Amino acid sequence: MPAVLFSLMLLGALCSLGESMSREEKSRLRNQVVEMFDHAYQNYMDHAYPADELMPLTCRGRVRGLEPSRGDVDDALGKFSLTLIDTLDTLVLLNKTTEFEAAVRRVLKDVRLDNDIVVSVFETNIRVLGGLLGGHSMAVMLKDGGQNMQWYQDELLHMAKDLGLRLLPAFNTSSGLPYPRVNLRHGVRGPETRTGTETDTCTACAGTLILEFAALSRFTGDPVFEAHARRAMDFLWEKRQRNSNLVGTTINIHSGEWVRRDSGVGAGIDSYYEYLLKAYVLLGDDQFLQRFNIHYASIMKYISQPPLLLDVHIHKPLLPARTWMDSLLAFFPGLQVLKGDIRPAIETHEMLYQVTKKHNFLPEAFTTDFRVHWAQHPLRPEFAESTYFLYKATGDPYYLEAGRTILDNLNRFARVPCGFAAMKDVRTGSHEDRMDSFFLAEMFKYLFLLFADDEDLPFDIEDYIFTTEAHLLPLSLSTTPHSQSIPSNRTSEEEMDDSNFEWTCPNTRLLFPDPAYPHHLREPIRTAVDKSCPRAAPYREPGMGRPPLRAQDFMANNPEHLELLRRMGVTLIHLKDGRVQLVQHATQAVSAVAAEDGVRFMQEMMELSSQQQKEQLPPRAIQIVSDPFFGRVVLTAGPAQFGIDLSKSATGLRGFVTVAEPYSGCSEITNPEYVRGHIALLQRGQCMFAEKARHIQKAGAIGGIVIDDNEGSSSDTAPLFQMAGDGRSTDDVTLPLLFLFHKEGNILLETLKEYREVEVLLSDKARDRGADVEAAEGGCLTEATTPTNFEPISQSLISSLAAQDEIKPSEEAVSDVDQDTSPMEEASPEEGVGPAEKEASPAEEASPAEEASPAEGVGPAEKEASPAEERAPPTVADSTQPKEETDSEKSEEGDTDSNQSVDELLADWREDLEAFQQMEKDEL
């Protein structure tokens, strides 16, 4: 289902403010963490060991091959007592040194690594190799303390090196990227390996090795491991998209071609970025910091839409790849703390916290309007991780309360007699017979540290860095000598740019002397997910001041209304895709009463946006049917919630187009003699859609097409939508009105400029015009005139509540000043509009006529971007001010761009379809 983003942020509508937590309460919660760990760990040891994982519902161990296959998830299991190894350093951190010593003896006695089994290189590295190295670090630390582990002679390190050598055959590729899987006994070559035929791996899979492999090299003195991991990191860096500086999700390990070109900070990429920054911290190599900073700048430019983190395409970073987020991105606020960029970390964490409170846990994936996309929750620790790091950075007790929420939800919803069970569906509370090893390795570490004081820890946590599996590696490794035995793909020194260095490895204890700072950042996010603090209307004495502005009356082109918003502390924030967020700052209101009015106004807007989702229409088609196109050019258009419903017409509406004067259509039409009996072309802006429709209808038009007024807007960067009314009855509008973005509308305008008389068909979907072509050509079809088959375009762009630029809610939908939108369903293939092909002569050149604006909806059109467009993808303007141009200005603009023909526009239009088709394949 389409996702809808309408982030209504209320600052000041808070239920309560964070208060300091007493030492006694922190101690109680810390002890509760230990008790919960004991419950999980002891049940694993009692019911599952030596199996890899515990099945907490059936109270038995999960042994690979004995249980039904779960697909790739089982690649983490290697018959090497995974959970025990993954938990070793957690035991030490929780002051369970006796249990740790016993566990190490069990590992040395029982665990074998030469099993004839195919495992994930990524999972085995972070969980098993990382677990052995973390256990070794703890054993050495305890031994040096002189009280425990005095018998230890680096046995865990020897096991780690043995495992590292078993993983090395996976790196036998021309690129240096490892195969995704390896047979622990036979490697990757030969029929006995049952692997080695894969061609693709995820970016995180190849880029999350450097910490463990470098630590192994520096612990053992053997440089081969670090060299291989560095070579893989270098190759990924070289293959980044050079314009966006982003990496894709999946890459071919032999050719280096990106297989999936979507880019985000969640599943498939997450820990690659994490390891770039942490490799700098652990190893002291400036190049890792430079690369991270370059990537990070692009993440914040394209992916970050605070508080959201949305995937984009690496070649077209303004083109969204999906409208949902996965739970793995919850680690990112913690990484931003390490980077020193706290503000977006606080904002994103608050969004995640509100989603957690709404669903009890973070769903595996959730939409931009915070609904469940994938309902599972395998007890992932990333949110707890970011909560801990933000508490470290800010000292704000608010994050202690967030930790308490995590604890309470685990005990209330996930705890079972034999451990903790993953959630199969967070909506119903149903369980899955699964307790992954990372639950013990990570969750209890971060929760214990959150509630612990320095004196509660057996060592100084600041002397260690966490791997992505929360294993502890000592920072002293940065001073260990190392060398490279394998040539790497290092960037040449000439490419090093001092401007990309931000020497930020912040002392988190000094970042925020004012604990109130994060509170001020969180407040606007609080009700973006759910309105949880309804308030009664404030008392207003009769005759004291004017009544408050109601959401259903608001018109964004009304200066008086904008002034009323300002007095209520409400402002509009423009997103990169043209949408806006309404934000209320209670402290900026002129009075307490005005602030309360603002709170109510925002709540009403949320209700209206919710109503807007109920009535959803499929896209419409505008087909150019006149000579020489004969229906081969089809433009996908957004419908209106008023006027004639084209889906109920078998023939649609056919007519010639003409430009209305004034072009805005916001006053009486001055050229009715041209508009009468024609389909009027109008520009978006300055008034409501319904008002435009009434003016052209009065002038005798049979239909209308509104063209976006922000240059560069296109259906490839904006979601589909439908035009809403103006809050009044629209039964008087009896003609059809459709909407085109600038890019598609420009094709129609250019055609009109070249051919003077242009006939179009407005319909619910494209009609086959082959008969017209044959008739026009006297029954003799040529290559130039043979109609192209109509292949359905699936509607990849998910609709969005385009509360864009200026917003005007009606009783049924939120509408803006002639930019009112309402989300549309993904159209089925039958509803899609076929590819439009036109073969125009090189002489057929024209200029773009008008500027256009962001997004309210045309479906994905078939377009191909020119090389210039690849370098500079179309952007969506943020301005809310409608543009009014004189005829002379339009003429000058036309002269400037007259070298762009309709043919070029269509070619430009077609390439982008490939991006949509690739995106669809990626989604599948």
Side-chain angles (χ1 to χ4, degrees):
M1 293 294 293
V4 179
L5 169 63
F6 191 58
S7 296
L8 299 173
M9 300 179 174
L10 294 170
L11 202 158
L14 303 179
C15 295
S16 62
L17 305 181
E19 297 180 359
S20 181
M21 182 179 288
S22 67
R23 290 181 62 88
E24 292 75 15
E25 182 63 9
K26 283 182 65 178
S27 176
R28 186 189 71 79
L29 292 173
R30 182 174 64 253
N31 292 335
Q32 186 177 4
V33 172
V34 175
E35 184 278 327
M36 293 167 65
F37 170 82
D38 290 340
H39 178 68
Y41 178 72
Q42 201 55 53
N43 273 287
Y44 166 74
M45 296 304 296
D46 292 344
H47 299 292
Y49 182 82
D52 284 316
E53 289 180 343
L54 170 67
M55 299 174 67
L57 299 183
T58 53
C59 300
R60 68 180 193 270
R62 183 181 297 280
V63 179
R64 193 168 172 185
L66 299 183
E67 302 294 334
S69 174
R70 299 176 298 170
D72 293 347
V73 176
D74 283 340
D75 288 341
L77 312 180
K79 298 182 179 179
F80 34 37
S81 300
L82 173 63
T83 298
L84 183 60
I85 292 177
D86 220 1
T87 308
L88 289 176
D89 49 5
T90 306
L91 290 165
V92 179
L93 183 66
L94 271 59
N95 295 292
K96 296 182 176 294
T97 53
T98 301
E99 291 88 340
F100 170 74
E101 191 161 350
V104 172
R105 292 186 184 276
R106 281 181 181 271
V107 169
L108 298 179
K109 174 172 138 327
D110 299 338
V111 174
R112 295 186 55 185
L113 298 174
D114 64 342
N115 303 315
D116 182 10
I117 194 168
V118 176
V119 297
S120 163
V121 173
F122 168 76
E123 297 289 356
T124 305
N125 171 66
I126 65 171
R127 299 203 208 186
V128 186
L129 182 58
L132 292 171
L133 293 172
H136 170 69
S137 300
M138 296 294 97
V140 170
M141 181 271 297
L142 291 173
K143 183 178 181 179
D144 291 345
Q147 293 184 355
N148 301 95
M149 301 296 293
Q150 297 303 302
W151 56 269
Y152 182 69
Q153 299 294 324
D154 296 343
E155 287 88 349
L156 291 177
L157 180 60
H158 299 323
M159 287 186 68
K161 183 173 182 179
D162 179 24
L163 180 60
L165 292 172
R166 294 179 185 281
L167 296 178
L168 281 184
F171 292 83
N172 190 16
T173 63
S174 57
S175 67
L177 299 179
Y179 283 94
R181 298 174 185 84
V182 67
N183 186 298
L184 289 176
R185 181 178 296 174
H186 302 294
V188 296
R189 296 294 176 86
E192 70 277 6
T193 66
R194 305 184 304 284
T195 189
T197 59
E198 303 92 343
T199 59
D200 307 334
T201 193
C202 71
T203 301
C205 298
T208 310
L209 299 159
I210 186 64
L211 294 188
E212 293 84 0
F213 272 50
L216 182 58
S217 283
R218 299 189 182 204
F219 273 134
T220 64
D222 187 344
V224 67
F225 305 106
E226 182 173 347
H228 277 296
R230 281 179 177 267
R231 186 182 178 200
M233 293 285 275
D234 292 343
F235 190 82
L236 290 173
W237 169 253
E238 291 297 322
K239 290 300 178 180
R240 75 192 186 282
Q241 210 289 323
R242 297 304 179 98
N243 292 322
S244 67
N245 280 315
L246 296 173
V247 292
T249 302
T250 307
I251 191 170
N252 186 293
I253 59 176
H254 303 297
S255 68
E257 294 293 321
W258 291 110
V259 179
R260 284 186 55 186
R261 299 179 178 89
D262 49 314
S263 184
V265 296
I269 302 179
D270 48 2
S271 47
Y272 163 68
Y273 293 134
E274 178 186 3
Y275 271 36
L276 277 174
L277 181 57
K278 290 185 175 180
Y280 163 69
V281 176
L282 180 64
L283 307 178
D285 189 330
D286 296 345
Q287 191 176 65
F288 288 122
L289 177 62
Q290 182 203 32
R291 292 177 180 179
F292 173 81
N293 282 333
I294 292 173
H295 280 315
Y296 186 77
S298 292
I299 290 170
M300 300 309 292
K301 181 177 181 180
Y302 299 118
I303 295 171
S304 176
Q305 296 188 27
L308 309 181
L309 293 164
L310 297 176
D311 286 16
V312 300
H313 289 274
I314 58 174
H315 293 91
K316 294 177 180 291
L318 296 177
L319 179 64
R322 61 175 62 136
T323 53
W324 49 270
M325 296 167 279
D326 65 76
S327 62
L328 286 171
L329 62 74
F331 90 100
F332 198 68
L335 187 65
Q336 289 178 307
V337 170
L338 185 60
K339 157 72 177 169
D341 195 4
I342 309 298
R343 183 187 183 107
I346 292 172
E347 293 171 336
T348 298
H349 179 276
E350 180 61 21
M351 178 270 294
L352 295 168
Y353 186 27
Q354 297 303 320
V355 174
T356 297
K357 291 201 290 187
K358 182 174 184 177
H359 300 294
N360 299 321
F361 300 97
L362 275 182
E364 273 292 77
F366 52 94
T367 62
T368 53
D369 59 345
F370 315 113
R371 300 182 183 183
V372 172
H373 185 71
W374 295 334
Q376 305 93 332
H377 174 75
L379 307 182
R380 292 200 185 277
E382 284 78 15
F383 178 65
E385 174 184 358
S386 289
T387 301
Y388 161 66
F389 281 115
L390 274 167
Y391 179 65
K392 287 279 290 183
T394 65
D396 187 347
Y398 179 83
Y399 296 109
L400 298 177
E401 295 300 329
R404 187 206 301 268
T405 299
I406 298 171
L407 285 182
D408 289 346
N409 288 344
L410 285 172
N411 275 322
R412 289 176 59 199
F413 303 110
R415 186 163 183 151
V416 294
C418 288
F420 291 84
M423 307 304 296
K424 186 175 184 180
D425 192 318
V426 297
R427 297 165 297 191
T428 64
S430 58
H431 289 123
E432 188 175 355
D433 200 3
R434 169 183 181 184
M435 190 180 81
D436 290 81
S437 68
F438 54 68
F439 182 60
L440 287 165
E442 301 183 66
M443 181 70 81
F444 295 110
K445 272 198 190 83
Y446 292 125
L447 291 176
F448 182 81
L449 287 168
L450 178 64
F451 298 113
D453 295 319
D454 289 345
E455 58 268 23
D456 301 317
L457 304 178
F459 54 88
D460 188 351
I461 197 68
E462 302 290 347
D463 291 338
Y464 295 83
I465 191 168
F466 290 102
T467 69
T468 195
E469 190 77 2
H471 292 306
L472 295 161
L473 298 178
L475 293 176
S476 58
L477 289 173
S478 61
T479 62
T480 304
H482 69 285
S483 61
Q484 294 191 33
S485 61
I486 295 178
S488 73
N489 299 320
R490 278 181 71 98
T491 306
S492 64
E493 290 300 321
E494 294 86 292
E495 295 183 25
M496 301 286 280
D497 182 356
D498 286 344
S499 66
N500 292 314
F501 285 89
E502 298 172 17
W503 303 103
T504 55
C505 184
N507 183 337
T508 56
R509 293 171 179 169
L510 302 178
L511 275 174
F512 291 98
D514 177 13
Y517 176 71
H519 166 72
H520 296 316
L521 295 181
R522 284 192 305 269
E523 286 179 339
I525 315 296
R526 191 65 59 89
T527 54
V529 177
D530 205 358
K531 46 183 182 180
S532 55
C533 308
R535 295 186 177 190
Y539 172 73
R540 188 186 302 273
E541 294 184 16
M544 295 296 294
R546 51 190 164 182
L549 177 65
R550 306 305 299 268
Q552 61 264 30
D553 301 324
F554 172 63
M555 295 186 66
N557 63 335
N558 187 323
E560 184 178 355
H561 288 185
L562 296 177
E563 173 61 19
L564 286 174
L565 289 189
R566 185 194 67 78
R567 293 177 62 83
M568 293 188 295
V570 178
T571 57
L572 278 71
I573 297 178
H574 297 276
L575 301 178
K576 298 169 185 175
D577 61 0
R579 294 172 292 176
V580 298
Q581 291 174 329
L582 293 177
V583 183
Q584 197 236 4
H585 298 266
T587 56
Q588 296 180 10
V590 296
S591 68
V593 171
E596 294 292 344
D597 290 342
V599 170
R600 186 167 55 256
F601 175 82
M602 297 290 281
Q603 292 175 340
E604 290 175 355
M605 289 296 289
M606 282 191 288
E607 293 168 2
L608 287 170
S609 68
S610 176
Q611 293 173 6
Q612 186 178 22
Q613 301 174 40
K614 297 176 182 178
E615 187 178 340
Q616 301 192 359
L617 303 174
R620 308 301 187 209
I622 298 177
Q623 198 166 3
I624 305 178
V625 296
S626 54
D627 184 9
F629 305 97
F630 302 115
R632 288 194 297 266
V633 173
V634 182
L635 309 173
T636 307
Q641 291 181 344
F642 52 87
I644 293 177
D645 185 353
L646 291 171
S647 66
K648 298 178 181 178
S649 172
T651 59
L653 175 70
R654 184 165 176 163
F656 288 89
V657 298
T658 188
V659 177
E661 295 180 4
Y663 189 29
S664 68
C666 292
S667 60
E668 186 173 347
I669 301 302
T670 59
N671 61 337
E673 67 277 12
Y674 295 105
V675 171
R676 188 175 299 109
H678 286 69
I679 296 172
L681 301 182
L682 305 159
Q683 186 181 49
R684 178 187 183 183
Q686 303 183 41
C687 65
M688 308 301 293
F689 286 124
E691 185 178 348
K692 297 176 188 288
R694 292 186 180 101
H695 284 140
I696 62 172
Q697 179 174 289
K698 182 178 179 181
I702 60 173
I705 299 172
V706 179
I707 297 176
D708 209 354
D709 69 333
N710 281 326
E711 175 121 22
S713 73
S714 170
S715 60
D716 61 357
T717 58
L720 293 169
F721 76 97
Q722 54 190 339
M723 296 178 286
D726 57 1
R728 299 186 286 131
S729 172
T730 53
D731 293 342
D732 59 317
V733 179
T734 58
L735 52 70
L737 191 69
L738 299 182
F739 178 90
L740 289 177
F741 283 112
H742 177 266
K743 197 169 186 180
E744 291 78 10
N746 206 36
I747 293 174
L748 186 56
L749 290 169
E750 289 302 303
T751 303
L752 181 61
K753 181 175 180 179
E754 288 190 36
Y755 298 101
R756 303 301 179 186
E757 292 189 352
V758 176
E759 188 178 18
V760 300
L761 174 67
L762 311 185
S763 60
D764 61 335
K765 54 186 172 183
R767 306 295 200 268
D768 189 351
R769 303 300 298 165
D772 284 4
V773 176
E774 187 170 354
E777 298 296 324
C780 180
L781 293 177
T782 65
E783 181 180 355
T785 60
T786 301
T788 305
N789 293 330
F790 288 102
E791 300 173 3
I793 299 177
S794 48
Q795 304 296 333
S796 302
L797 281 182
I798 310 300
S799 64
S800 164
L801 175 65
Q804 300 179 20
D805 298 351
E806 306 167 9
I807 304 172
K808 169 70 176 98
S810 70
E811 293 182 359
E812 290 299 323
V814 175
S815 65
D816 70 6
V817 178
D818 153 290
Q819 300 166 6
D820 328 342
T821 67
S822 178
M824 294 173 58
E825 297 280 359
E826 290 183 82
S828 64
E830 299 80 48
E831 293 166 340
V833 179
E837 292 189 3
K838 170 193 178 293
E839 300 192 18
S841 66
E844 294 174 345
E845 296 181 349
S847 65
E850 312 295 342
E851 294 183 336
S853 83
E856 290 144 53
V858 196
E862 290 198 18
K863 340 182 178 124
E864 293 196 26
S866 63
E869 186 179 352
E870 281 290 339
R871 290 190 296 272
T875 60
V876 180
D878 287 336
S879 173
T880 66
Q881 300 302 321
K883 299 178 178 64
E884 188 169 9
E885 299 173 342
T886 64
D887 291 340
S888 61
E889 287 172 336
K890 295 175 185 176
S891 175
E892 290 173 6
E893 184 184 33
D895 294 341
T896 303
D897 298 328
S898 61
N899 62 333
Q900 189 174 22
S901 68
V902 175
D903 216 16
E904 290 171 332
L905 287 169
L906 291 172
D908 212 26
W909 190 38
R910 194 167 293 114
E911 184 191 85
D912 288 346
L913 178 63
E914 295 181 2
F916 281 107
Q917 292 171 334
Q918 180 64 46
M919 180 173 69
E920 243 180 15
K921 293 177 182 177
D922 294 347
E923 283 290 314
L924 294 175

